[in-house]
Amino acid sequence: MREYVREIESLPKSHRIERLKKDMLAETRYVSMDQARIITRVYRETEGEPVNIRRAKSLAAALREMPIRIDPGELIVGNRTSGVRAGVVFPEGGISWVNKELETLPSRPQDRFEVHSEDIPYFRNELFPYWNGKTLEDAVNAEIGEQAALIARVVKINQKDHAQGHICPNVEKWLRMGPAGILEEIRAAAAKNGDSNRFFEGVALTLEGAMNFMGRYGKLALEMARENPNFADELRDISRICSALTTRPPEHFHEALQALWFLFVTLHMESNASSFSPGRMDQYLMPYFGRDIARGALDFPRALELIEALWLKFNQIVYLRSTSGARYFAGFPIGFNVALGGQNADGSDASNPLSFLFLKAQEHLELPQPNLSARLFEHSPEDLLNVCSRVIGCGSGMPQIFNDEAVIPALRGVGIAESDAWNYTIVGCVELTTSGNSLGWSDAAMFNLVKALELTLTGGIDLLDGSKSGLNLGTLENYGSFEELEEAFRKQIDHFINLMIPLCHAVDRIHGEIVQSPFLSSVIDNCIDAGVDVTNGGAQYNLSGIQAIQPANIADSLAALKTLVYDDRKVEASVLLNAIRDNFEGQEILRQRLLNKAAKYGNDVEWVDELGHKWVRHFAKRLKEFSNRRGGPYHTGLYTVSAHVPMGQNVGATPDGRHARTPLADGGISAVYGRDNSGPTALLRSVSRIDSALGSNGTLLNMKFSPQLFKTEEGIRKFSAMLRAFVRLKISHVQFNVFTEEDLRAAIEQPEKFRNLTVRVAGYTAYFTELAGDLQEEIIARTTYLEAL
Amino acid sequence: MIFGTIFDVKRFALHDGDGLRTTLFLKGCPLHCPWCQNPEGISPKIHLCWTPSRCIHCGICVSVCPLGALSRKEPQLDIRIDFRKCDNNGLCVEECPSAALSFDGRRVSAEEIAGEILRDRDFFDVSEGGVTLSGGEPLMQPSFAAEVLRICRENGVHTAVETTVSVPRSAIDAVIDYVDLFLVDHKFADPESHKNILGADRKPIRRNLEYLLSRDARVRIRIALIPEYTATEDNLRGLGDYIRSLEPVQPSVELLNFNPMAENKYRLFGQSWPISRDAGRFSPEEIDYFADVLRKTGVERVAT
């Protein structure tokens, strides 16, 4: 173990941070319409001006006018609302769902928010009437609503009601130049290229707004210093930092963290999008940290306290989703994804003291944000693996693990240059991106392969309501061989891909018309050079990701069909078809046969795993034939976040013995829970058969371990060894939940005692007690690898 | 081809030697330890068994058995197996839709099972783990054990054998060249207890242990701490005195905590568990205490 690792491992918790954390969690979450009021006013004032200017002016006004607050004791300041964890109503994205659900937000099953009573009449009388018909959601609905509804059970088109997130801005540049420096760059570019479409004008307005915002915090801190003698010195420090950042880039570590936070607050104010990710913070912050340590201005305990202060901030911005959106992405994840470790451009290990300080901060705080991701590769040092394992064993579900050996080649495969691929990072939950130069559009749609299989078996008839929803290519009774069935499945998939792509295209275009993002464009490489907004193809990389869901259910269903119907002929095709039509009513013996008499994905059985792999391969290959509206490629993701529950509700009974409307396999490439009963090594080998190059948009594997494994150093070493094997097997991603069923049962019984309990839902962590009951049960049901007996 | 009878293959085994391992459980054991963790491993024969929690009481098994070996007991319709009639033809196992009927072991060739073990080589390599043969008493099937170990060793996999060495010398000679580590269970210092409780003499076991050491085999002695049986000060002191006297190299000792989970297995096989119901796992402090008893006798290397 490196000397500094030993030192960081022994750092204690900070009382200040503990207090701030407690206060933050105690504060009631409210819906906030403050910014909506400002945006609406500015839009009324700017009728007839170009969209980018209206967007820029409304952001700049919000930055100047939003009520701000500093809590005494805070080391990093700033938020997009005066309350913490507020749900921001963002009219440009879409508010028709708010109109329907405003009164039920405090009582809905997932992600509840209180509503200020004065906001209800304001919303109904002013906000909604003004915006109705003008929002992104309205425009998308008007153009593609009907077509999207027709294919909705197979294809869920996303990004229909909010601006695009899942982006890693160029934080390194923001820290190097500061808003003032970038403003100079903008002015120079405008002088050189002209500004016929007023792109540079818009960007400049937002940068000036950001500088004003920082200055307001400087002023507030100074005022508060006078009134809070106990915190006067540190408030004056904060004031100095905030004021300085309006004119120059940060020079010290504390300044850099504060500057970074202002960047992310401003990005969220502009877009209200899900997930802007800081990316490889341990890399670009290292110069600031190293300089301060070298000159004696910073030590490890102080650095950790500052990092933890920022970590608290990452938990203060949450995302208000509709009731159905909250079902797909439960626990209001906002996705401040921080990557640590990994490698340098020359292939050497990149872990440094900051990587370990981040892990220590996670261990101390055990909060859902940041979404901490550790990058591992062949030469990752033993101490990094062991500390990751130990922190995973603490049970907060973090860090999740990414594998350079799988991810870098996968990104190269979708046209990412070598010089960018090694520097990849993660946005949102598990989505892969380059740093600071990409609009990855990672969740353009989710494609439910399992529903496509259902329609293949039924002649295009939806099992849930009998409607005609897909191609009629025959039914299970007519296919003379397994190969014929597979051929029909292929046609069914292709049919829906062909219907899906134009709709994704349209949504992408409408974003470019309605939610241009001038501020974001200033921190995504190439936008300024090209003079083009990021939503209109300004970024260096322009991808679109579509998720293929869910290979485990496909493999299990096809394996059962192949074994029992076609190979062994133990089950009549017509009997099976009737059984799934009847949701196995009165057919429990048949259902048990399907469950127990055919091999299942996740048990290291090559031919079954191949049945999942094969269809992922087909899907990814077909997708690659299309280009998106911004000129970049479509590529495939293999993750569902928590969407395996609602997507399962769209699917009738399946030939793997699954009942209608029950969840699909969790994660993305996990086995169906309870069916991988050959242990974690067999599961990992099965998963490794799905070529990670196919999941270049991101993959998700959930594993759950009992806490006993982490109780001894030997256990931790063995867990690290398993991670080492995971790297060698070239699987892109894995994440771990660590707890006992009793822990979770107790948390359901007495939620008040377990407010702090965080669990890995999917690619993110949420408070267990804040999840809806069915999702809680689902998490309990996932396979646990108990201590080997 | 050499065939053997096994009752389980456990991948990702964490407690049967160093690193990540695959443990292969061979059927048959000459001892009858009352607390046995794997009672299905005692008999060398394969038996049909019925898992109540999986059964959906469809009765298919009763109707497919040509020998009438199965019947249903009212009112829960529990399945009864008449072992005098059952000839292990497997029809019921094949037809049982819920996998409630199964065999408690299977015949496999050494090549086949070695292939299964080698699947996890990536995990062995990164953890300095490997394969462990356990049981039952794996050396009851010496040619089969030797062949599995030989193939694994030939493929660069570390090999361990968990044994009581209560076997003929020839069985040890059959495997000794293919074993990297012997994990030798030694339970009782007192020859009377050994004979009465385990059903085997202590003397040949100790002779075999000494023989292993004389052949320079790497040996780790494992003592399972069983409440009221082995986990007594007197017993540990007696075992310590013996271990201290061993040469040329004093073997290391590993203390294994009692595992009450085995009670479930006894229930599954319709047997009663001989250990008092409230006996739980020992606390870390108690384990340290037992380790100290051993150390005080002069045992140099004690792991817990």
Side-chain angles (χ1 to χ4, degrees):
Chain A
M1 192 182 272
R2 285 170 276 186
E3 190 47 46
Y4 71 74
V5 178
R6 210 179 299 278
E7 195 180 332
I8 292 167
E9 279 290 274
S10 64
L11 290 175
K13 287 187 179 182
S14 137
H15 294 302
R16 171 207 303 269
I17 300 294
E18 288 293 296
R19 180 177 65 78
L20 289 169
K21 173 184 166 188
K22 202 163 143 263
D23 292 349
M24 177 184 86
L25 291 179
E27 190 166 324
T28 308
R29 288 193 306 270
Y30 278 95
V31 167
S32 168
M33 298 192 194
D34 293 342
Q35 196 184 343
R37 286 178 164 88
I38 296 169
I39 295 171
T40 307
R41 190 196 74 223
V42 173
Y43 264 67
R44 283 186 199 277
E45 290 163 3
T46 55
E47 296 286 349
E49 292 201 54
V51 173
N52 70 314
I53 297 298
R54 299 177 85 186
R55 290 264 296 151
K57 284 185 174 173
S58 60
L59 172 62
L63 288 162
R64 277 190 215 98
E65 297 169 28
M66 280 293 287
I68 61 172
R69 140 183 164 193
I70 295 174
D71 291 339
E74 280 193 308
L75 296 173
I76 303 292
V77 302
N79 199 346
R80 62 171 174 170
T81 50
S82 59
V84 301
R85 306 209 296 152
V88 169
V89 171
F90 204 78
E92 294 146 283
I95 47 174
S96 67
W97 74 264
V98 183
N99 188 43
K100 290 187 200 106
E101 299 181 14
L102 189 55
E103 282 81 0
T104 56
L105 289 175
S107 58
R108 63 184 187 173
Q110 185 66 57
D111 294 5
R112 292 172 190 160
F113 289 86
E114 295 298 322
V115 181
H116 292 291
S117 56
E118 68 271 22
D119 281 344
I120 295 178
Y122 168 74
F123 181 89
R124 289 271 145 64
N125 301 333
E126 290 193 44
L127 199 64
F128 186 68
Y130 176 78
W131 286 98
N132 192 18
K134 297 190 180 73
T135 67
L136 174 71
E137 181 189 18
D138 297 331
V140 169
N141 269 338
E143 187 168 330
I144 66 156
E146 275 177 36
Q147 292 144 284
L150 285 175
I151 61 169
R153 282 186 182 153
V154 175
V155 179
K156 182 170 179 289
I157 303 282
N158 289 323
Q159 317 310 327
K160 290 180 294 193
D161 59 6
H162 54 258
Q164 184 56 37
H166 285 63
I167 293 164
C168 175
N170 191 337
V171 187
E172 184 276 326
K173 172 188 176 181
W174 173 262
L175 297 181
R176 179 165 38 83
M177 299 174 71
I182 299 176
L183 195 55
E184 275 176 38
E185 185 194 8
I186 295 291
R187 288 187 177 133
K192 188 172 147 218
N193 305 324
D195 194 16
S196 54
N197 57 7
R198 298 174 74 185
F199 167 76
F200 295 114
E201 180 189 342
V203 179
L205 283 169
T206 63
L207 287 164
E208 286 160 359
M211 287 151 73
N212 184 286
F213 189 60
M214 298 176 186
R216 290 174 64 210
Y217 278 94
K219 221 173 129 204
L220 175 62
L222 199 59
E223 285 164 17
M224 286 180 64
R226 289 188 203 110
E227 292 150 23
N228 294 275
N230 292 344
F231 294 93
D233 285 349
E234 58 185 55
L235 280 163
R236 267 192 287 272
D237 268 346
I238 289 167
S239 173
R240 249 194 315 274
I241 291 171
C242 295
S243 304
L245 292 177
T246 62
T247 58
R248 64 160 172 83
E251 290 166 0
H252 310 140
F253 186 62
H254 189 171
E255 291 180 357
L257 292 181
Q258 180 63 61
L260 178 150
W261 181 238
F262 278 136
L263 168 64
F264 282 90
V265 171
T266 310
L267 287 169
H268 277 290
M269 288 176 75
E270 177 176 64
S271 295
N272 187 46
S274 159
S275 182
F276 288 102
S277 290
R280 301 187 79 192
M281 280 177 72
D282 59 346
Q283 303 307 305
Y284 58 70
L285 285 175
M286 195 57 201
Y288 303 89
F289 175 83
R291 267 201 306 275
D292 281 10
I293 294 278
R295 68 185 174 95
L298 186 69
D299 57 16
F300 284 180
R302 174 66 174 175
L304 181 62
E305 196 175 40
L306 289 168
I307 290 164
E308 291 181 356
L310 178 63
W311 263 214
L312 288 176
K313 282 291 171 191
F314 286 148
N315 288 280
Q316 292 187 4
I317 292 184
V318 301
Y319 193 54
L320 177 66
R321 289 182 169 84
S322 65
T323 300
S324 81
R327 286 185 56 73
Y328 278 77
F329 305 100
F332 34 78
I334 194 83
F336 289 104
N337 206 312
V338 172
L340 61 88
Q343 58 194 288
N344 297 307
D346 64 2
S348 59
D349 168 49
S351 68
N352 61 32
L354 285 173
S355 325
F356 290 88
L357 285 164
F358 293 174
L359 288 163
K360 183 52 77 174
Q362 173 55 34
E363 181 189 349
H364 279 171
L365 288 172
E366 298 197 309
L367 288 169
Q369 298 293 330
N371 193 351
L372 199 59
S373 304
R375 277 179 52 176
L376 299 184
F377 75 118
E378 201 192 333
H379 303 299
S380 289
E382 205 59 29
D383 53 13
L384 180 65
L385 265 79
N386 284 334
V387 176
C388 284
S389 298
R390 200 180 52 68
V391 175
I392 287 168
C394 296
S396 73
M398 288 191 265
Q400 56 179 340
I401 306 293
F402 287 83
N403 181 0
D404 289 6
E405 310 298 339
V407 171
I408 293 174
L411 290 175
R412 297 282 289 124
V414 279
I416 304 292
E418 197 176 348
S419 55
D420 284 311
W422 70 271
N423 198 27
Y424 80 90
T425 189
I426 300 100
V427 287
C429 304
V430 297
E431 296 87 336
L432 306 169
T433 185
T434 51
S435 295
N437 58 12
S438 174
L439 180 57
W441 207 285
S442 44
D443 192 18
M446 288 184 164
F447 193 103
N448 195 334
L449 289 167
V450 192
K451 187 71 185 180
L453 179 62
E454 171 187 319
L455 297 174
T456 308
L457 300 177
T458 60
I461 304 297
D462 191 312
L463 282 181
L464 296 179
D465 60 10
S467 65
K468 192 178 165 347
S469 300
L471 291 181
N472 180 6
L473 303 157
T475 71
L476 180 57
E477 284 174 280
N478 313 128
Y479 304 131
S481 65
F482 185 67
E483 291 65 35
E484 260 180 55
L485 188 161
E486 286 195 304
E487 180 57 19
F489 185 34
R490 188 185 62 70
K491 286 183 183 149
Q492 195 75 253
I493 292 173
D494 292 354
H495 166 70
F496 280 101
I497 290 179
N498 290 335
L499 292 175
M500 166 179 74
I501 294 293
L503 305 187
C504 293
H505 215 83
V507 172
D508 198 327
R509 195 193 71 246
I510 297 167
H511 274 247
E513 291 163 0
I514 293 186
V515 283
Q516 291 165 27
S517 304
F519 180 72
L520 173 61
S521 300
S522 76
V523 284
I524 295 291
D525 290 359
N526 196 55
C527 292
I528 295 176
D529 294 341
V532 174
D533 192 275
V534 65
T535 58
N536 282 312
Q540 183 179 336
Y541 293 110
N542 288 286
L543 298 100
S544 286
I546 295 174
Q547 282 46 272
I549 292 164
Q550 204 64 310
N553 295 89
I554 292 297
D556 289 358
S557 294
L558 291 176
L561 287 166
K562 183 169 181 342
T563 302
L564 294 166
V565 177
Y566 293 100
D567 291 352
D568 298 353
R569 304 207 170 260
K570 289 244 173 183
V571 174
E572 287 282 331
S574 58
V575 172
L576 177 53
L577 186 58
N578 281 327
I580 61 171
R581 277 182 185 138
D582 297 341
N583 193 18
F584 297 114
E585 188 98 11
Q587 290 281 3
E588 184 59 17
I589 291 174
L590 171 60
R591 197 180 80 87
Q592 288 292 331
R593 262 202 191 114
L594 297 168
L595 285 173
N596 296 299
K597 296 293 171 180
K600 298 287 183 279
Y601 171 78
N603 294 289
D604 198 6
V605 181
E606 283 86 341
W607 71 269
V608 179
D609 302 339
E610 168 59 16
L611 287 176
H613 185 188
K614 176 178 185 173
W615 293 101
V616 169
R617 207 162 50 220
H618 173 74
F619 183 83
K621 185 166 156 266
R622 284 287 286 130
L623 215 50
K624 261 196 162 172
E625 293 165 10
F626 299 91
S627 295
N628 67 24
R629 204 256 323 178
R630 288 161 287 121
Y634 281 96
H635 63 152
T636 303
L638 299 168
Y639 64 84
T640 55
V641 192
S642 55
H644 61 290
V645 177
M647 294 206 103
Q649 285 183 336
N650 281 338
V651 182
T654 37
D656 56 349
R658 173 190 148 280
H659 277 119
R661 300 183 195 274
T662 58
L664 304 177
D666 64 87
I669 47 179
S670 311
V672 175
Y673 45 77
R675 291 187 190 168
D676 56 322
N677 37 36
S678 309
T681 63
L683 174 65
L684 287 171
R685 279 177 50 87
S686 279
V687 168
S688 74
R689 294 203 175 93
I690 297 181
D691 182 356
S692 23
L694 301 174
S696 49
N697 189 44
T699 69
L700 201 162
L701 171 62
N702 280 316
M703 292 175 84
K704 197 160 81 170
F705 283 83
S706 146
Q708 284 95 310
L709 180 57
F710 303 90
K711 292 241 164 87
T712 62
E713 284 199 12
E714 196 197 347
I716 286 171
R717 269 200 311 277
K718 289 185 176 180
F719 188 83
S720 294
M722 190 195 66
L723 291 179
R724 197 67 89 182
F726 153 86
V727 170
R728 201 181 265 207
L729 288 168
K730 297 193 177 1
I731 300 165
S732 289
H733 166 271
V734 66
Q735 62 184 16
F736 303 94
N737 266 318
V738 177
F739 42 68
T740 60
E741 182 174 338
E742 293 83 78
D743 291 341
L744 298 183
R745 291 275 169 224
I748 293 175
E749 298 294 316
Q750 300 172 291
E752 66 288 349
K753 288 192 180 162
F754 293 88
R755 291 284 177 226
N756 268 342
L757 177 66
T758 54
V759 293
R760 206 75 191 156
V761 175
Y764 62 89
T765 292
Y767 299 103
F768 183 74
T769 56
E770 294 183 0
L771 295 172
D774 56 347
L775 196 53
Q776 288 179 329
E777 288 298 330
E778 208 273 317
I779 284 173
I780 291 176
R782 285 183 200 162
T783 303
T784 306
Y785 296 110
L786 286 166
E787 187 185 26
L789 293 171
Chain B
M1 281 221 275
I2 303 172
F3 282 84
T5 307
I6 63 170
F7 63 96
D8 203 3
V9 182
K10 181 161 185 53
R11 298 164 72 167
F12 200 67
L14 301 173
H15 303 292
D16 302 314
D18 303 326
L20 304 176
R21 308 191 76 83
T22 293
T23 303
L24 177 65
F25 294 89
L26 283 75
K27 242 168 123 34
C29 185
L31 304 187
H32 297 91
C33 312
W35 59 83
C36 181
Q37 300 279 303
N38 300 313
E40 73 274 39
I42 295 175
S43 163
K45 289 193 188 127
I46 293 171
H47 295 102
L48 183 64
C49 65
W50 174 69
T51 308
S53 63
R54 298 197 68 107
C55 186
I56 57 169
H57 309 285
C58 63
I60 290 175
C61 53
V62 176
S63 61
V64 299
C65 181
L67 305 171
L70 297 167
S71 57
R72 287 206 275 185
K73 192 175 75 178
E74 303 290 342
Q76 281 92 25
L77 301 177
D78 284 0
I79 301 297
R80 270 187 167 174
I81 304 166
D82 185 341
F83 286 105
R84 287 165 308 182
K85 291 183 184 164
C86 177
D87 69 349
N88 284 2
N89 62 49
L91 284 172
C92 58
V93 173
E94 201 183 317
E95 291 302 322
C96 172
S98 62
L101 283 166
S102 59
F103 289 115
D104 69 353
R106 60 182 162 122
R107 294 283 289 170
V108 285
S109 74
E111 288 80 2
E112 182 194 343
I113 201 67
E116 210 172 306
I117 291 163
L118 290 173
R119 283 173 173 258
D120 278 352
R121 272 173 71 173
D122 280 325
F123 296 87
F124 306 152
D125 288 353
V126 295
S127 65
E128 294 173 357
V131 63
T132 301
L133 264 49
S134 181
E137 167 52 65
L139 301 186
M140 290 263 286
Q141 302 180 55
S143 337
F144 174 69
E147 184 64 359
V148 174
L149 292 165
R150 189 188 65 76
I151 300 171
C152 289
R153 181 65 102 55
E154 223 164 57
N155 283 280
V157 172
H158 178 274
T159 57
V161 170
E162 198 179 356
T163 172
T164 62
V165 289
S166 181
V167 290
R169 179 69 50 88
S170 60
I172 293 178
D173 284 332
V175 299
I176 193 163
D177 290 340
Y178 311 120
V179 179
D180 293 313
L181 173 65
F182 284 92
L183 300 161
V184 178
D185 283 345
H186 198 22
K187 301 167 207 292
F188 287 110
D190 169 38
E192 290 302 307
S193 307
H194 206 284
K195 175 87 187 156
N196 296 340
I197 299 172
L198 307 181
D201 281 334
R202 195 194 69 179
K203 203 169 173 186
I205 290 183
R206 286 197 167 179
R207 274 207 203 124
N208 279 340
L209 177 55
E210 288 151 22
Y211 174 69
L212 281 177
L213 292 168
S214 75
R215 293 279 311 264
D216 293 329
R218 212 183 130 215
V219 172
R220 187 184 299 165
I221 293 177
R222 307 222 296 179
I223 304 170
L225 295 169
I226 310 298
E228 296 161 33
Y229 286 94
T230 63
T232 69
E233 209 175 313
D234 275 355
N235 186 44
L236 288 167
R237 203 176 294 124
L239 288 170
D241 285 339
Y242 171 64
I243 292 164
R244 184 197 53 200
S245 72
L246 289 170
E247 46 196 16
V249 180
Q250 191 194 99
S252 65
V253 176
E254 189 178 359
L255 290 179
L256 301 177
N257 201 344
F258 172 64
N259 178 10
M261 298 290 278
E263 195 202 338
N264 290 321
K265 274 196 185 173
Y266 279 79
R267 228 181 291 159
L268 194 64
F269 290 96
Q271 300 165 10
S272 65
W273 170 242
I275 310 293
S276 111
R277 234 159 218 285
D278 28 285
R281 290 171 73 84
F282 290 108
S283 69
E285 293 75 28
E286 289 170 307
I287 300 275
D288 282 346
Y289 168 77
F290 291 129
D292 272 347
V293 172
L294 275 177
R295 287 190 191 105
K296 278 184 193 143
T297 63
V299 176
E300 284 154 18
R301 288 173 295 161
V302 183
T304 55

